[in-house]
């Protein structure tokens, strides 16, 4: 019997009301407008696993991340952490403990750090907020340990964020996330604002910390080369829906969904295999007025009448989860 997953996302929806002011709508006779950012998304993340969400900008990746950590409420569906529903009365009673167990690393390390605080105060804030330590000497010692853990010198605690490079600032953000002794960390494109050489250093640090501390990651990125280095399993998002979920190696060696193939064809072929590649065509539709049927059909070379009429369901296709009529009908 396999152990229960640490994180379970069950039929998650998030709809935003983007209508104009009421008086403007009445005078101009315009209807209310709704944007569906996340539509019926379900997945689970096992302990010590890295589950990656990939997709173009506007696919709903960051919205899912914010819902999981509690920064946004879901319109429908549920998120369970270690079997506890985030919306249940039990979760409200244990909110402080759940918040401690879940931390987040943001995309822009400079924007996520308070520029008026010294680094030692930034890293010590979770220790004080969750009541993990009270004694000043203990807090200073723990901050020094965390700085060394992420590859910085303890003396760096006396500096301000603007005195560091982008990669060093992201190390500070990682140290702050680790201060609360979390089990689960949501990484929202943590390397996209960094240089390529620095990206590799941060990714290697995160993998080492995962092995050392037994961490579980939800890793969000639009860069498949980065995801290949980090992820155990990958979920591909398009227009707020999961279109494919597969182990990392299988997804890269044999992508099933046409959108996954398109994303992989956009990755530079450094090995010069000579494989025929299809260039990225079109762009993601407006989520306020999405196409009927399969959301990907306006860009898909395999679409037919059923694709234009009926939304595909994520189903098991030879051990892989794929939402595609072409795969289900063996056309792809």
């Amino acid at each position: 019997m396999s152990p229960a997953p640490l994180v379970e996302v069950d039929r998650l929806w998030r709809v935003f009301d983007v209508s104009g002011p009421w008086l403007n709508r009445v005078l101009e006779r315009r209807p209310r407008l709704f944007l569906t950012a996340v539509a019926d998304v379900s997945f689970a993340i096992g302990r010590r696993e890295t589950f990656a969400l990939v997709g173009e900008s506007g696919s709903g990746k960051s919205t899912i991340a914010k819902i999981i950590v509690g920064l946004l409420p879901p319109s429908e569906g549920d998120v369970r952490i270690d079997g506890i529903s985030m919306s249940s009365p039990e979760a409200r009673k244990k909110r402080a403990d759940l918040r401690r167990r879940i931390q987040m690393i943001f995309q822009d390390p400079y924007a996520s750090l308070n520029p008026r605080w010294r680094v030692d105060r930034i890293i010590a804030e979770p220790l004080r907020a969750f009541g993990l330590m009270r004694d000043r000497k203990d807090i200073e010692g723990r901050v020094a340990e965390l700085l060394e853990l992420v590859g910085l010198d303890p003396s760096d605690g006396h500096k301000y964020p603007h005195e560091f490079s982008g990669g060093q600032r992201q190390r500070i953000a990682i140290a702050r996330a680790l201060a609360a002794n979390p089990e689960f960390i949501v990484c929202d494109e943590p390397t996209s604002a960094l240089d390529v050489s620095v990206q590799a250093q941060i990714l290697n640090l995160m993998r080492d910390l995962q092995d050392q501390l037994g961490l579980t990651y939800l890793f969000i990125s639009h860069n498949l080369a980065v995801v290949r280095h980090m992820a155990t399993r990958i979920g591909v998002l398009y227009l707020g829906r999961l279109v494919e979920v597969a182990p990392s190696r299988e997804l890269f060696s044999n992508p099933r969904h046409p959108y996954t193939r398109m994303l992989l064809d956009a990755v530079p072929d450094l090995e010069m295999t000579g494989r025929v590649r299809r260039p990225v065509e079109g762009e993601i539709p407006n989520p306020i007025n999405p196409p009927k049927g399969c959301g990907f059909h306006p860009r898909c070379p395999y679409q037919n009448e059923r694709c234009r009429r009926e939304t595909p369901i994520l189903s098991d296709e030879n051990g892989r989860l794929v939402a595609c009529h072409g795969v289900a009908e063996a056309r792809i």
Side-chain angles (χ1 to χ4, degrees):
M1 182 178 178
S2 59
L6 178 62
V7 181
E8 296 172 273
V9 175
D10 184 25
R11 303 186 69 84
L12 202 65
W13 289 77
R14 177 64 203 195
V15 180
F16 294 97
D17 187 344
V18 294
S19 308
W22 175 79
L23 185 59
N24 289 37
R25 287 191 284 111
V26 171
L27 294 176
E28 299 170 16
R29 297 183 179 181
R30 291 186 300 174
R32 293 178 69 180
L33 297 175
F34 296 93
L35 186 154
T36 302
V38 181
D40 199 21
V41 169
S42 299
F43 59 85
I45 309 176
R47 297 175 190 274
R48 297 174 175 261
E49 182 184 21
T50 299
F51 183 82
L53 283 176
V54 301
E56 294 169 285
S57 296
S59 59
K61 306 183 300 296
S62 294
T63 303
I64 292 174
K66 291 174 182 176
I67 293 173
I68 289 176
V69 299
L71 294 177
L72 276 176
S75 301
E76 292 182 35
D78 194 18
V79 176
R80 292 185 293 275
I81 307 295
D82 204 8
I84 301 173
S85 170
M86 294 290 283
S87 57
S88 68
E90 184 182 4
R92 284 192 284 271
K93 293 177 183 177
K94 298 182 177 181
R95 188 170 297 277
D97 181 57
L98 281 175
R99 286 189 181 278
R100 182 195 64 76
R101 297 170 67 185
I102 307 168
Q103 293 296 309
M104 189 167 183
I105 301 171
F106 295 92
Q107 179 175 354
D108 186 345
Y110 190 63
S112 66
L113 302 175
N114 190 332
R116 298 185 179 184
W117 285 13
R118 292 192 326 190
V119 166
D120 54 3
R121 185 180 175 188
I122 290 172
I123 297 175
E125 182 63 15
L127 298 173
R128 297 189 176 98
F130 294 114
L132 299 177
M133 288 183 178
R134 303 288 185 186
D135 184 76
R136 181 179 172 183
K137 290 292 184 183
D138 291 342
I139 291 175
E140 290 177 354
R142 179 59 177 157
V143 169
E145 289 178 7
L146 290 166
L147 285 169
E148 289 182 335
L149 189 64
V150 298
L152 296 174
D153 191 271
S155 62
D156 289 332
H158 300 291
K159 300 178 183 178
Y160 290 87
H162 72 269
E163 299 180 68
F164 295 90
S165 67
Q168 289 173 325
R169 284 197 286 262
Q170 197 62 291
R171 290 174 186 268
I172 294 167
I174 293 171
R176 179 182 58 183
L178 295 176
N181 297 322
E183 298 175 37
F184 174 52
I185 298 181
V186 176
C187 313
D188 187 6
E189 304 211 35
T191 61
S192 63
L194 307 178
D195 294 337
V196 174
S197 59
V198 179
Q199 285 184 15
Q201 295 173 18
I202 297 300
L203 293 174
N204 288 331
L205 171 64
M206 292 177 66
R207 291 198 65 170
D208 292 342
L209 291 171
Q210 183 176 33
D211 295 337
Q212 185 176 345
L213 303 176
L215 299 171
T216 302
Y217 290 145
L218 171 61
F219 195 91
I220 291 170
S221 180
H222 62 272
N223 188 336
L224 281 167
V226 169
V227 169
R228 187 173 195 169
H229 179 74
M230 287 293 296
T232 313
R233 288 186 303 126
I234 300 173
V236 182
L237 273 173
Y238 187 77
L239 209 60
R241 292 182 180 272
L242 278 175
V243 297
E244 185 167 2
V245 181
S248 179
R249 288 186 179 181
E250 293 183 19
L251 186 123
F252 278 90
S253 62
N254 183 29
R256 302 297 306 281
H257 197 280
Y259 179 59
T260 309
R261 295 182 180 183
M262 188 186 79
L263 290 178
L264 290 176
D265 281 347
V267 177
D269 188 6
L270 299 180
E271 298 177 359
M272 294 185 288
T273 60
R275 179 173 60 88
V276 177
R277 302 162 72 87
R278 178 183 292 273
V280 176
E281 299 174 353
E283 58 185 36
I284 196 164
N286 186 347
I288 298 176
N289 186 27
K292 294 181 180 179
C294 174
F296 186 62
H297 87 257
R299 305 169 69 182
C300 181
Y302 305 100
Q303 55 93 11
N304 62 10
E305 179 59 32
R306 185 186 179 192
C307 300
R308 295 188 289 270
R309 184 184 68 251
E310 182 182 333
T311 302
I313 299 172
L314 196 67
S315 56
D316 193 314
E317 299 290 339
N318 299 321
R320 302 270 292 275
L321 296 178
V322 184
C324 178
H325 295 312
V327 172
E329 296 168 1
R331 292 188 284 108
I332 302 176

